[in-house]
Amino acid sequence: MNTLVIGSGITGIRVALDLAKNGVNVHLVEREAAMGGKMALLDKTFPTNDCSICLLAPKMSECINRDNIEFYTLSEVHSVKGEIGNFEVTLLKRARYIEEDKCTGCGLCIENCPTSVPDPINDEFSNRKAIYIPYPQAVPRIAAIDPENCKHLTEGKCGVCKKTCPRDAVDYTQMDEFIKINVQTIIVATGADIYRPFEIEKYQYGKVPGVLTSFELERLLCPTGPTEGELRLEGPYGVIDNIKNIAFILCVGSRGEVYDHCSSVCCSHATKQAILLRESFPDINTTIFYRDFRTFGKNFENYIERSKTDYNVDYHRASVEKIERLENGRNKVFFDDTGKGEIDLKSEDFDLIVLSTALIPPKNTKELAEILSIELDQWGFYKSLNPLISPTSSTRQGIYLAGCCLRPKDITFSVIDASSASAKALESMNKEDTKNQEVPT
Amino acid sequence: MNGKRIGVFLCQCGTNIGRIIDIPKLAEELKGIENVTWVEYGKYLCSEIGLTEIRDAIIKFNLDRVVIGACTPRNLEKQFFFVCQDAGLNPYLLEMVNLREQCSWVHLRDKEGAMKKAKELMIMGISKAKLLEPQYATSIDISPNLLVVGGGVSGMTAAVSAARQGHQVLLIEKEKELGGLLKHLDTIWPTGMKSNELIDYLKENVKNEDKIEVMTSTELSSVEGSVGRFNVKLKHVENNPSVESNVADNQDPVQEVGDDSLLNRTVGAIILATGSIEAEPIGHYHYGEDNRIMTQIQFEGLLKNDQLHEPKELVFIQCVGARGEDVPYCSRVCCITAIKNAIKVKQKFPNTKISILHRDIFVAGALGEQLFKDGWDSEIEFHYYSLNEKPDVRIDTNNLVVRGMFGRAREELTFTPDLLVLSTPLVSHKENLEIAKILKIPVDSDNFLMEKNPKIYPMDTQKKGIYLCGCCHEPGVISKCIAQGQGAASRASIQLSKEFITLHPMASVDTEICRGCGRCVDVCPNDALELVDDEFGRHAKVNDILCQGCGTCCATCWTNAIHMNYFHSKHLNAMVDSLIQFASEEGV
C-alpha cells in the first residue's frame, strides 16, 4: 500500500504516522525546508497551556525515523496522472544546495554567512541568514540555501559556507529535480495561511507601530522566536518596549470583513495569549474585544472562565470602529459596545494591539486543486464530497482531505481529520489488496 | 550491578522549565555527585537533536544509567526509552524526574524554592537510578477482533470503517435498535439530510460488511486484560434479546458461560461510542409546567413527525442550564440546531415570527457562519442576552410571555410566543460512568470520557487499545462524530494490525520469600495474580498480560515478597535517604 501525503504540519504528520503504523508506505511531501507547519511555531496550546513543540517534536522524530515514511523537503506536487489505485505523481524537488546525508546541522555555515534577510517565519520581525535552518527543532536538522538571497548563487561571489563546512556538504551545483512516484491514494494536508490585514484601513496594520497579528505575538512569546520570549518589538514598524496595556481584536478579516468564514480558533487563541501574558508579565493588562465568543472545544469554556477569575483578563463585547495613533506612541481604540454606532463610540488607549486574523486558504491552493482535479468550495478551501457523511473525502475518488485546508480548525480537530482521512485511505486500499483474503477470527 | 556511570540530562523545555529553574546552574551543581559521569542540558531534549545528544553521550561515555530531568514521563518516557535502547542500554535503566509539572509549573512565583526542589528531585532520581535493574519485556499475540460499544452514528461509522480496513468487528448496542440519539432528530446539519435516511444509510453500510457482527440489547459487563487481549463479558439488557447477527456460518458460535445472559469474547481493541443525552431543563423557564415549553429535541420531534401547526410566534432560548449554570461548558451543537430548525419553520411558515435569544452565537467555521447568515437572510431575529440578565418567562392564561433586556444597547423587548423552545446542553449519562469504571479509564470534570491528550490524542484514552469517538467524549455535531468514528477506527487498526504487543514487566514475586498466603490474589483489582505450586513451593505468580502496575499487591504483602520492578522499596528508601542526607548537609 502506497500513499502520498501533501503537507507535513501536525495534520500531515499524523496522517503519515497513522498510515505508516498501519503498514502503508508513505511519501510525505513538504514545501518548506523542514516539517512542522504552523504548530512548530506556536509557543503553547490551549486549553492546557501545554508546550506546542513538546507535543510535536516527538511526532516529528518518529516520522523521520520510520523506515516506511519517505520525507521530501522543498518539494511540491508537479503533476498527477491516473486514478485511485494507481496515481502517477511527479514531484518537483527544489535544490537545497546541501548534500542531505553529509550535513549534521552543526550551524557553522549559518554563523559565518554574511547575508541577512528578513525571516519569513517571524513575519520579518527578525532576520535569518541566506543559509538557514528554519527553526531550532527543525526536522530534519539540515541547512538549506535560499537561492534568491545567496550571494554565491545570485552573483557568483562569497562562497563562505562552502569554505566553512567541515563536512563539505555545500553543493552550489545542485539542480531542481523531478521525482516520479506511484501511489494508490493521496491525502492533502496543506493547512492554512494566516491573513495579514494590510488592506483593512481601520486597523492601521503595517502603518503604525504596535499593531501586530496574533501569530506575530505568538512568535514574540515563543522562546525560540525573534526575542526569545521577551515582549519587545523591534520590527519594521518601530521599537516598542515597556508594554503595559494590550488589546486583542477578534474576527479581523473574518466573518464578513474580508472573508466570510469564522476562523474557529481566534477566540481561544486570544484567551491563551492573554493568559500567557498575564502569567509571565503580571503588570500587563489585557483586554479582548469580541463579537461572539466561540469556545468550540472540550474544556474551553472553563479556560475562558479561568482567564477571567484567575488572570483578570477583560472581555468586551464590542465592535472596534477605528484605531488612532497618538503622539505619546500609544494607540487609541474606538469601539462601539452599545450597537448605536458613531454617536456613542467609546475609546481606550493601548501600547500594543493584537489583531486575531483569519485563517485563510494557503497560497497555491487553486494550483494544487487543478493538479489534483479536485474542487474548491465557496470559501476557497478544498471541498468535502459530502460535509456530513464523508467530511474528509474530496470530490475525487482516492484523494482525501484533512486539517485546515478543508476549513479552519484547531489542532484537535485537525488530528481527528487526519485519522479520519487515514481511515478512508486504508479502506480504499484494503478493498483492492485483501478483497478475498480471509481474516482470522 | 549498581550504576557507576550515571548520565544526567536536563531539559529547559523552552521557557517552561528554564524560566523558573536555572538549568545551567543546576547542571553544574549535580556534577559533583558520586557516580555521576556526565551532565548535559538542552532547550528541548525531546527534539531530534536533543535525542541524538543523549544517544551519543550514552555511547561515548559508556553510561550505565540515565536520569532525565524534564516533563512528565507520561509525555515522553517512551521516546527516551527508545533512545536508551538505540544506544544499546537496557531501557529500564532510565529514570525520569518531572521538573515541569511537579516543579516549575507549580512554583511559578517562587524561583528560589523551585530551584532547591529541582535539585532535591534530581538527587532523589539519581539515587534511585543507581539501584535500577535491567528488565526484559515479553510479548503476546494480538486478537484481531475489535469491539465497538454503542450503535449510534459514531459507533456504526467506526464499525464500518474498521471492517472495511479488514478487521472483524463486534458492534454492541444497549437499545433494541441501532441509531442512538439520531433517532430523535429531524434533519441533520450541514446537508439537511433526514435523520431516518442517515440511519438507513449507516445501517445499510453495517449490513453490507460481512465482518461486522451486531448485537443489540447488549451491554458491557466486565473487561479484563490489556491491549491486544481484552477478555470481554457482555450481557443482555432485556428479557428478549434480539441478536441480529450477520456473521458468516463458519464463524465460531457465540460462547455462553454459566449464566446464560453473559457472553465471553476476546478482542484486541475497544472503541467507545456510547454518546450523550440532552439535559432536561428542570427548574428553568417553567419547563414541565406547560406543554408549550419544550426542549430542542422535543421540538425536533414535532418537525420530524410533521406535527407543528403554523405558529404565530416562536422563541428559542439558548444556553439553558449551560455555560456556567448546571454545567460549565458550551454544548457546541445547540446554536446550530436552533438556527437550522428556525430556518426550517420559516421555510414552511414564512409569516411566523421567530426569535433566537442567545448569549454567544456559537457557529464556528465556514459552514457554521454560513448557517448564521442564512438565518439572518430568513429574517430570523437574533437577540443577545447576558447570563446576569436572563430573560423572564411567564405563563399567562393564553400566552407565554418572554421579557428581557437584549443586545449591546440593553433594549427591553417582550415576546408572546405560541411555543418556547429551550436549547439545553448534551450531557454525559450514567452508562458512561459505569463504562469508565469497568474499563478503569478516567472521566473529565463534566463526566465525559477523557482523552489521552486533548491536542494530539483526541481519540485515544489513557489505556492503550481503548479509543473514543462521538459525544461520549464531548458534545459535537454529527459530521464531527462521523470523522471521529472513522478516526477511531484508524487508531484501533494500528493496534489490530500488529503481530504482537510488548508487555513491560510491572511486578515480580520473590519466590523464596513468598509463603503463598494469597492476600495479594484477593486484593488485585485486575485478577492478575494467582497461586501456583511448582518447584519453588506454593507462591504467587503475576500475569503480565493482566497486570496494570497499580501496586496494591505490594502494599498488601506482609513478607515483602512482591515488588514493583520500577518502584521497589529499596528504590524508595534510597530516595528518602538521599533527601535526608541532602537536607542535613544543607543544614535544614
Side-chain angles (χ1 to χ4, degrees):
Chain A
M1 294 188 282
N2 293 287
T3 299
L4 168 69
V5 181
I6 309 172
S8 69
I10 178 62
T11 313
I13 289 174
R14 252 327 260 285
V15 170
L17 285 174
D18 265 21
L19 289 175
K21 289 179 178 181
N22 270 298
V24 180
N25 294 319
V26 177
H27 299 273
L28 181 60
V29 173
E30 170 60 49
R31 187 168 63 190
E32 306 295 332
M35 65 170 83
K38 296 284 183 290
M39 187 177 172
L41 306 179
L42 299 177
D43 178 23
K44 311 240 171 132
T45 58
F46 52 76
T48 51
N49 287 0
D50 212 342
C51 157
S52 182
I53 193 76
C54 308
L55 291 170
L56 186 64
K59 301 285 138 212
M60 296 198 291
S61 46
E62 216 178 327
C63 242
I64 201 89
N65 289 320
R66 277 198 80 94
D67 293 339
N68 59 351
I69 299 178
E70 184 73 33
F71 183 46
Y72 306 84
T73 50
L74 296 167
S75 300
E76 281 172 69
V77 175
H78 180 260
S79 68
V80 173
K81 283 183 206 154
E83 50 173 20
I84 181 170
N86 185 25
F87 287 111
E88 289 169 31
V89 181
T90 309
L91 303 177
L92 170 62
K93 185 172 166 57
R94 295 195 310 278
R96 186 185 265 270
Y97 304 104
I98 302 289
E99 288 181 51
E100 297 192 11
D101 40 358
K102 281 191 185 167
C103 175
T104 59
C106 72
L108 269 178
C109 53
I110 300 171
E111 276 169 34
N112 289 299
C113 172
T115 314
S116 277
V117 293
D119 191 348
I121 275 182
N122 295 326
D123 279 356
E124 298 116 45
F125 279 84
S126 66
N127 286 336
R128 76 169 184 203
K129 297 292 182 63
I131 185 165
Y132 66 99
I133 291 174
Y135 57 96
Q137 305 81 27
V139 172
R141 199 182 146 80
I142 296 175
I145 294 179
D146 170 358
E148 281 168 29
N149 292 299
C150 171
K151 286 265 184 312
H152 187 88
L153 291 172
T154 51
E155 301 166 24
K157 295 177 195 162
C158 192
V160 168
C161 51
K162 192 167 175 64
K163 285 173 214 149
T164 11
C165 180
R167 297 180 52 108
D168 196 25
V170 178
D171 176 5
Y172 297 124
T173 64
Q174 244 179 32
M175 307 276 276
D176 295 356
E177 56 178 326
F178 290 103
I179 300 172
K180 280 196 187 327
I181 53 175
N182 282 300
V183 294
Q184 289 161 288
T185 50
I186 298 174
I187 295 178
V188 186
T190 46
D193 277 352
I194 288 144
Y195 174 62
R196 299 181 74 190
F198 292 110
E199 64 195 290
I200 310 177
E201 205 63 37
K202 67 177 180 180
Y203 297 123
Q204 307 270 344
Y205 176 76
K207 296 181 187 72
V208 302
V211 181
L212 295 181
T213 67
S214 55
F215 202 74
E216 288 158 359
L217 176 67
E218 189 78 25
R219 293 303 297 150
L220 286 184
L221 295 175
C222 186
T224 57
T227 57
E228 300 192 331
E230 290 304 315
L231 192 58
R232 203 178 61 237
L233 278 184
E234 297 168 355
Y237 323 127
V239 177
I240 298 186
D241 47 16
N242 196 22
I243 294 167
K244 288 284 166 273
N245 292 292
I246 302 181
F248 289 86
I249 303 172
L250 303 193
C251 303
V252 172
S254 312
R255 296 191 67 190
E257 225 171 50
V258 176
Y259 294 88
D260 281 340
H261 63 266
C262 156
S263 293
S264 300
V265 298
C266 332
C267 294
S268 312
H269 189 206
T271 300
K272 178 196 80 178
Q273 293 188 326
I275 288 179
L276 294 180
L277 284 164
R278 296 276 306 156
E279 210 167 58
S280 305
F281 315 102
D283 53 341
I284 281 179
N285 294 313
T286 50
T287 306
I288 296 178
F289 293 99
Y290 70 97
R291 283 165 67 185
D292 287 291
F293 219 81
R294 293 176 175 174
T295 55
F296 69 104
K298 189 165 176 167
N299 284 333
F300 286 12
E301 191 82 24
N302 287 344
Y303 190 61
I304 312 300
E305 269 317 300
R306 217 154 36 107
S307 75
K308 294 176 189 165
T309 54
D310 297 4
Y311 295 95
N312 286 323
V313 177
D314 261 345
Y315 288 84
H316 233 80
R317 193 171 199 273
S319 67
V320 171
E321 298 301 326
K322 61 181 173 189
I323 292 169
E324 237 175 59
R325 174 79 175 156
L326 301 177
E327 277 177 14
N328 62 8
R330 310 180 86 196
N331 289 309
K332 196 182 258 310
V333 173
F334 291 88
F335 59 91
D336 169 15
D337 63 355
T338 58
K340 289 178 190 155
E342 279 292 323
I343 55 162
D344 198 17
L345 284 190
K346 297 193 178 67
S347 70
E348 222 175 295
D349 296 351
F350 295 94
D351 301 309
L352 182 64
I353 291 166
V354 182
L355 307 175
S356 288
T357 55
L359 293 180
I360 56 174
K363 60 177 184 197
N364 298 349
T365 298
K366 267 190 197 149
E367 289 82 344
L368 185 59
E370 273 168 29
I371 291 170
L372 296 171
S373 306
I374 58 175
E375 288 172 36
L376 299 179
D377 64 16
Q378 66 188 95
W379 301 278
F381 294 97
Y382 296 117
K383 188 175 177 180
S384 283
L385 178 63
N386 179 325
L388 175 62
I389 54 179
S390 43
T392 51
S393 299
S394 78
T395 49
R396 185 172 175 201
Q397 243 198 329
I399 301 184
Y400 307 96
L401 311 166
C404 288
C405 68
L406 200 46
R407 63 191 72 98
K409 54 190 64 163
D410 74 334
I411 296 165
T412 309
F413 270 63
S414 301
V415 167
I416 290 173
D417 271 3
S419 289
S420 162
S422 307
K424 295 307 287 181
L426 285 167
E427 285 174 25
S428 65
M429 290 189 286
N430 184 61
K431 238 184 239 163
E432 302 165 31
D433 280 11
T434 57
K435 194 156 191 184
N436 298 313
Q437 270 180 30
E438 280 291 326
V439 172
T441 52
Chain B
M1 200 67 195
N2 290 359
K4 294 281 188 216
R5 302 186 62 81
I6 300 176
V8 177
F9 299 88
L10 299 170
C11 183
Q12 291 172 313
C13 194
T15 52
N16 279 294
I17 299 175
R19 184 175 279 162
I20 311 300
I21 302 167
D22 185 344
I23 291 288
K25 189 172 162 220
L26 179 62
E28 209 47 53
E29 289 177 7
L30 295 175
K31 274 183 184 159
I33 295 175
E34 197 191 348
N35 295 343
V36 171
T37 311
W38 180 246
V39 184
E40 195 173 329
Y41 63 90
K43 207 160 211 171
Y44 296 100
L45 286 189
C46 56
S47 66
E48 188 57 27
I49 181 168
L51 296 172
T52 314
E53 275 168 13
I54 297 173
R55 184 166 26 222
D56 293 349
I58 295 174
I59 298 168
K60 190 170 171 194
F61 302 106
N62 193 21
L63 302 174
D64 65 1
R65 298 289 188 281
V66 170
V67 181
I68 288 174
C71 56
T72 164
R74 293 207 88 111
N75 247 358
L76 298 169
E77 191 179 40
K78 211 170 107 186
Q79 211 76 23
F80 297 120
F81 186 91
F82 288 130
V83 164
C84 292
Q85 209 166 26
D86 249 24
L89 182 70
N90 183 296
Y92 298 92
L93 300 175
L94 159 76
E95 171 67 7
M96 280 195 75
V97 178
N98 186 348
L99 295 183
R100 194 177 74 176
E101 282 81 351
Q102 292 175 357
C103 196
S104 71
W105 275 1
V106 283
H107 304 299
L108 269 179
R109 307 260 171 266
D110 178 12
K111 286 191 181 181
E112 211 174 297
M115 182 72 192
K116 184 164 170 280
K117 181 174 171 184
K119 191 173 177 188
E120 289 169 352
L121 289 171
M122 287 308 298
I123 287 173
M124 289 161 75
I126 292 167
S127 64
K128 177 184 170 186
K130 284 180 193 170
L131 303 177
L132 289 174
E133 283 164 20
Q135 311 282 337
Y136 300 93
T138 50
S139 64
I140 50 157
D141 292 344
I142 289 188
S143 158
N145 302 336
L146 172 71
L147 172 69
V148 178
V149 185
V153 54
S154 313
M156 283 196 270
T157 306
V160 169
S161 181
R164 287 180 183 168
Q165 288 174 50
H167 304 291
Q168 194 71 40
V169 183
L170 174 60
L171 172 63
I172 66 169
E173 162 60 43
K174 68 173 192 295
E175 288 180 33
K176 271 187 176 167
E177 286 281 329
L178 295 173
L181 199 58
L182 208 53
K183 286 185 291 198
H184 308 288
L185 306 183
D186 173 36
T187 53
I188 313 294
W189 178 81
T191 59
M193 190 181 201
K194 281 202 176 322
S195 69
N196 289 344
E197 289 169 12
L198 180 57
I199 294 177
D200 290 345
Y201 165 80
L202 292 166
K203 275 187 176 171
E204 194 63 24
N205 283 345
V206 168
K207 218 175 137 192
N208 287 341
E209 294 302 324
D210 306 340
K211 290 197 167 77
I212 304 179
E213 178 188 359
V214 181
M215 292 171 78
T216 51
S217 305
T218 304
E219 253 180 15
L220 208 53
S221 169
S222 74
V223 175
E224 279 172 1
S226 58
V227 58
R229 205 143 272 275
F230 290 106
N231 297 317
V232 178
K233 275 198 175 74
L234 306 171
K235 66 174 183 229
H236 292 312
V237 280
E238 281 168 1
N239 295 331
N240 182 21
S242 67
V243 181
E244 302 171 10
S245 172
N246 54 11
V247 199
D249 288 338
N250 58 4
Q251 289 283 312
D252 282 346
V254 168
Q255 303 169 40
E256 301 206 351
V257 276
D259 179 357
D260 59 8
S261 66
L262 283 178
L263 306 168
N264 271 5
R265 286 298 175 92
T266 302
V267 295
I270 300 173
I271 292 178
L272 300 174
T274 43
S276 58
I277 51 171
E278 182 188 45
E280 245 197 303
I282 291 164
H284 294 287
Y285 304 114
H286 301 284
Y287 175 78
E289 294 168 29
D290 187 306
N291 57 13
R292 291 171 296 180
I293 303 175
M294 61 184 69
T295 68
Q296 193 68 252
I297 286 189
Q298 288 164 347
F299 185 66
E300 289 239 13
L302 290 185
L303 292 176
K304 183 182 178 124
N305 302 320
D306 214 6
Q307 289 166 333
L308 183 69
H309 306 295
E310 179 165 2
K312 273 214 246 346
E313 185 171 356
L314 254 178
V315 167
F316 294 83
I317 302 181
Q318 302 300 103
C319 301
V320 177
R323 300 187 65 198
E325 293 203 280
D326 304 341
V327 300
Y329 56 87
C330 158
S331 182
R332 272 116 49 203
V333 297
C334 340
C335 285
I336 286 167
T337 314
I339 301 174
K340 175 206 75 176
N341 288 343
I343 292 174
K344 180 155 182 190
V345 174
K346 265 286 185 197
Q347 281 166 349
K348 197 165 175 196
F349 307 116
N351 297 325
T352 301
K353 180 187 170 206
I354 303 180
S355 309
I356 296 181
L357 313 182
H358 63 90
R359 282 170 61 193
D360 290 290
I361 283 285
F362 174 81
V363 284
L367 293 163
E369 194 66 39
Q370 182 63 41
L371 180 74
F372 191 23
K373 213 164 149 270
D374 292 346
W376 277 105
D377 295 346
S378 312
E379 290 176 350
I380 292 160
E381 291 180 17
F382 291 89
H383 298 290
Y384 168 81
Y385 75 89
S386 69
L387 182 59
N388 42 28
E389 270 184 320
K390 282 162 55 183
D392 176 56
V393 173
R394 273 184 303 120
I395 305 172
D396 272 5
T397 30
N398 292 321
N399 285 320
L400 298 173
V401 181
V402 181
R403 187 172 285 148
M405 309 292 271
F406 297 98
R408 274 185 260 173
R410 299 185 62 253
E411 190 185 351
E412 186 171 351
L413 297 173
T414 305
F415 308 90
T416 49
D418 309 355
L419 286 178
L420 175 61
V421 182
L422 305 179
S423 284
T424 60
L426 291 176
V427 291
S428 189
H429 43 65
K430 67 175 195 305
E431 285 92 341
N432 282 341
L433 289 174
E434 279 165 22
I435 280 173
K437 218 169 139 190
I438 289 172
L439 293 167
K440 303 185 184 76
I441 56 171
V443 292
D444 65 19
S445 55
D446 304 317
N447 288 336
F448 288 99
L449 300 178
M450 195 141 112
E451 69 289 327
K452 183 174 169 189
N453 177 294
K455 283 288 157 197
I456 53 172
Y457 291 113
M459 289 157 296
D460 295 35
T461 65
Q462 291 290 1
K463 216 164 168 182
K464 217 172 177 181
I466 301 177
Y467 304 91
L468 292 172
C469 59
C471 294
C472 63
H473 170 238
E474 61 161 332
V477 291
I478 306 276
S479 56
K480 187 202 156 207
C481 292
I482 289 181
Q484 224 181 351
Q486 292 164 342
S490 151
R491 299 296 298 159
S493 172
I494 293 176
Q495 295 302 338
L496 297 172
S497 308
K498 288 181 184 167
E499 280 169 23
F500 57 85
I501 278 183
T502 308
L503 296 175
H504 301 286
M506 298 282 191
S508 47
V509 179
D510 188 335
T511 47
E512 278 180 26
I513 304 176
C514 178
R515 299 188 181 182
C517 72
R519 285 190 190 190
C520 54
V521 179
D522 296 341
V523 297
C524 178
N526 297 306
D527 294 331
L529 282 150
E530 55 178 342
L531 287 179
V532 292
D533 288 295
D534 57 18
E535 69 266 36
F536 305 109
R538 168 166 288 202
H539 63 87
K541 189 168 178 252
V542 183
N543 180 339
D544 284 337
I545 299 174
L546 300 180
C547 177
Q548 300 294 310
C550 71
T552 316
C553 52
C554 306
T556 312
C557 180
W558 60 287
T559 57
N560 283 337
I562 298 196
H563 285 290
M564 303 303 294
N565 298 332
Y566 220 71
F567 291 98
H568 201 289
S569 14
K570 70 181 180 194
H571 297 151
L572 303 177
N573 286 334
M575 290 167 83
V576 174
D577 288 348
S578 67
L579 180 62
I580 291 169
Q581 200 194 336
F582 175 70
S584 63
E585 281 165 12
E586 296 277 298
V588 181

